[in-house]
Amino acid sequence: MSNLLLLKLGGSLLTDKAGVEALRPAVLGRLAQEVQAARREDPDLQLVVGHGSGSFGHVAAARHGTARGAHTPEEWRGFADVSAAAARLNRLVTEALLAAGVPALSLQPSASALCEDGTLIQLAVEPVRMALQRNLVPVVYGDVAFDRHRGGTIISTEKILSFLVKHLRPSWLLLAGETEGVYDAEGQVAAAITPETFPALEAALGASRGTDVTGGMDSKVRGMLELVRTHPALRVSVFSGLEPGRLQQALLQPGQVTGTIIRCQDL
């Protein structure tokens, strides 16, 4: 699907991750409007939206230790609590998109996901594909998942979108967060990162602000580099969704938006 984009709205963008279930409603509403504005400008745009759990799912997951596994009755109750918290934010995101005119369709990852020691090995892709064929915008999110080794675990939005990349072959994966991009050792935004240039940046990457059970920027960049190695035609853009208009530009001209591009090799 050459005109397909995958978009992640970061949990730190949609919520205050230093709080507990602290939504940023004005930011969410504006982002939803920008998605719809881009769809109006480019009627052929196909889009899958994924969003992080921010101060909803991450706080609950950290409290229960869900990423490490679920085995006891108390841990399974925590598993259910995390699922409910993630779904509460998903409902808010989906409703904001619908209110802006976006035909958003929520698809719950945990309904079909299966992991093997933290690795996502199974997820229903056909509902996503059929939604796109009907000009709907599927909305997925970081969620819990059953795991053959750990019992239960957490699947990040990046893991879900990376799984979808294998099956849907989008041209771009857009990561909208609260930072301008990936910062180098001098505190400047790196215009591009490839597997060859990453070692020079590695020491500058740190953990996320607030509670994040899926790792900080370092693990996210590593995951994206592995993804573009496997899918050389894919490009990943990391940019700030806090800057008004930038998401709309990224959806329409992903290669020209201010931020960091992660790709397989230098052009």
Side-chain angles (χ1 to χ4, degrees), residues 191-209:
I193 301 175
T194 67
E196 291 72 29
T197 64
F198 176 67
L201 281 169
E202 190 173 3
L205 300 180
S208 297
R209 183 181 65 85

Side-chain angles (χ1 to χ4, degrees), residues 2-5 7 33-47 171-172 174 235 237 239 245-257:
S2 59
N3 61 338
L4 172 66
L5 305 179
L7 166 66
Q33 292 288 346
E34 291 190 32
V35 170
Q36 179 60 359
R39 293 181 74 255
R40 280 197 303 265
E41 190 166 342
D42 180 6
D44 294 326
L45 174 64
Q46 289 190 300
L47 182 64
S171 55
W172 284 87
L174 308 176
R235 286 164 290 176
S237 176
F239 62 96
R246 193 162 291 172
L247 173 58
Q248 182 177 346
Q249 180 192 7
L251 291 170
L252 296 171
Q253 299 173 308
Q256 298 180 31
V257 71

Side-chain angles (χ1 to χ4, degrees), residues 132-189:
L132 290 168
Q133 290 170 354
R134 288 150 179 82
N135 202 34
L136 298 173
V137 176
V139 182
V140 296
Y141 56 97
D143 199 1
V144 297
F146 290 104
D147 189 297
R148 287 175 175 167
H149 178 77
R150 303 180 189 179
T153 190
I154 300 292
I155 44 172
S156 68
T157 318
E158 281 89 354
K159 284 185 179 181
I160 294 166
L161 293 178
S162 295
F163 188 92
L164 292 177
V165 164
K166 302 173 191 176
H167 297 272
L168 301 178
R169 301 300 176 95
S171 55
W172 284 87
L173 171 53
L174 308 176
L175 304 179
E178 62 175 351
T179 63
E180 291 288 327
V182 181
Y183 296 107
D184 62 20
E186 283 72 47
Q188 302 299 312
V189 174

Side-chain angles (χ1 to χ4, degrees), residues 11-19 24 54-55 58 178-179 206-213 215-217 242:
S12 62
L13 175 63
L14 300 177
T15 74
D16 179 357
K17 289 177 75 172
R24 291 172 165 172
S55 60
H58 282 287
E178 62 175 351
T179 63
S208 297
R209 183 181 65 85
T211 305
D212 190 336
V213 297
M217 183 62 81
L242 291 177

